[in-house]
């Protein structure tokens, strides 16, 4: 099978981290003989400056015509790119794992959780307005979207430690009552999975205090945005945390971090994007029952963990001196050696 992958490099450090991921993906596709056609598409701040729109129709069409998308972070125009992509493609589940990684300084070890964030409604619905002295954003929570995200969370938990924490603020927000009640209704279909409820303020506190208590956290759009950044901080940094935006038909993969316009490009850590690419290979392998892709994603994960364990090619955010291309080269070497190609250029 020939896969077509749409690539949106994005803004700021986006093009650098995406290029590193593409280099590694190129090596994997060669060594595992999987045919992947990468189509680079434009979106973001620069695109808006040049064409007047941050997400051109051509890009949206290109994404729709592909099997999956690998996307870098977007800068000022994130709202005009990220939200329409998620909503138009109905990518309702934002899967954000945060796991302790080898050799990465962090306050607590043994963290292995995943934030399952509703991705199409809540405060991100875009029903809002602003004058100079009044503004509002409507928070939309529906039973349909709450139910489908809860199902994803419980299905995910079945293959993990079988615990779901439903995070909400139902003591204050009526919209959260519907979210909570719907999640608890779905929970009844999964008696094997332990369910607990937690108010979002307490969840933020517990995440900082003892993150190992969590397995799967399911929550609404903005709460998930905030808690996933916090979870990234808990395991050692945003430079390491990947995400998958999944619908029933399509998957878009991107780092949790933003475009980081203020950091020097030589400091960019490509691991979050590389691990997002790993999630993409894994998702494609399941969707198309492709064992080569499954193997490739496993090798990519193993090689990345080995790279961190060895600790000789670390980016500056992790206390090293390596650049994003250095990390890509080191991974390409490791992957090639594992597949018996010692002299790959
Ligand atoms: C994220 C980002 C986005 C979000 C922004 C850039 C629109 O913070 O993916 O977490 O809020 O979802
Ligand atoms: Mg965010």
């Amino acid at each position: 099978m020939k896969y077509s992958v749409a690539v949106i490099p994005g803004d700021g450090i986006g093009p650098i981290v995406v290029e590193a991921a593409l280099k590694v993906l190129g090596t994997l596709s060669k060594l595992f003989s999987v045919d992947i056609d990468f189509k680079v598409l434009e979106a973001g701040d620069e695109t808006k400056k040049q064409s007047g729109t941050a997400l051109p129709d051509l890009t949206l069409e290109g994404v729709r015509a592909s099997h999956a998308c690998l996307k870098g972070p977007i800068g000022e125009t994130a709202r005009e790119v990220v939200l329409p992509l998620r909503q138009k493609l109905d990518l309702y589940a934002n899967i954000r794992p945060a796991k302790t990684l080898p050799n990465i300084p962090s306050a607590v070890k043994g963290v292995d959780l995943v934030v399952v964030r509703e991705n199409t409604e809540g405060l991100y619905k875009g029903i809002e307005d602003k004058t100079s002295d009044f503004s509002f954003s409507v928070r939309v929570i529906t039973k349909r979207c709450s139910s489908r995200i809860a199902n994803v969370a419980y299905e995910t938990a079945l293959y993990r430690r079988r615990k779901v924490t439903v995070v909400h603020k139902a003591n204050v927000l009526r919209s959260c009552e519907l979210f909570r009640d719907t999640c608890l209704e779905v929970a009844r279909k999964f008696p094997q999975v332990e369910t607990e409820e937690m108010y979002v303020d307490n969840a933020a506190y517990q995440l900082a205090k003892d993150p190992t208590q969590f397995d799967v956290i399911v929550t609404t759009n903005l709460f998930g945005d905030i808690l996933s950044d916090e979870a990234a901080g808990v395991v050692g940094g945003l430079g390491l945390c990947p995400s998958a935006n999944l619908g029933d038909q399509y998957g878009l993969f991107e780092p949790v971090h933003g475009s980081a316009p203020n950091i020097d490009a030589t400091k960019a850590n490509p691991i979050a994007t590389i691990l997002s690419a790993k999630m993409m290979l894994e998702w494609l392998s399941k969707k198309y029952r492709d064992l080569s892709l499954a193997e490739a994603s496993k090798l990519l994960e193993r090689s990345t963990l080995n790279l961190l364990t060895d600790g000789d090619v670390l980016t500056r955010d992790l206390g090293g001196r390596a650049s994003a291309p250095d990390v890509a080269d080191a991974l390409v070497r490791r992957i090639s050696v594992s597949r018996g190609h010692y002299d790959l250029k």
Side-chain angles (χ1 to χ4, degrees), residues 74 78-79 82-83 86 94 96 117 124 225 229 254 256:
I74 308 288
R79 184 165 58 171
V82 185
L83 306 196
R86 289 174 183 165
N94 198 327
R96 302 189 148 188
R117 164 186 178 189
Y124 282 61
D225 178 43
D229 264 40
E254 60 184 348
V256 173

Side-chain angles (χ1 to χ4, degrees), residues 87 118-128 137-143 145-146 174-176 178-179 220-222:
Q87 291 177 11
E118 202 292 321
N119 216 24
T120 53
E121 56 174 17
L123 274 164
Y124 282 61
K125 192 72 184 171
I127 304 177
E128 51 183 11
S137 301
V138 175
R139 184 174 197 257
V140 178
I141 302 284
T142 62
K143 182 148 184 151
C145 292
S146 304
R174 299 301 297 271
S175 52
C176 265
L178 180 60
F179 180 76
T220 54
N221 209 339
L222 182 65

Side-chain angles (χ1 to χ4, degrees), residues 65-77:
S66 65
H67 293 100
C69 175
L70 182 68
K71 184 190 139 299
I74 308 288
E76 290 298 307
T77 54

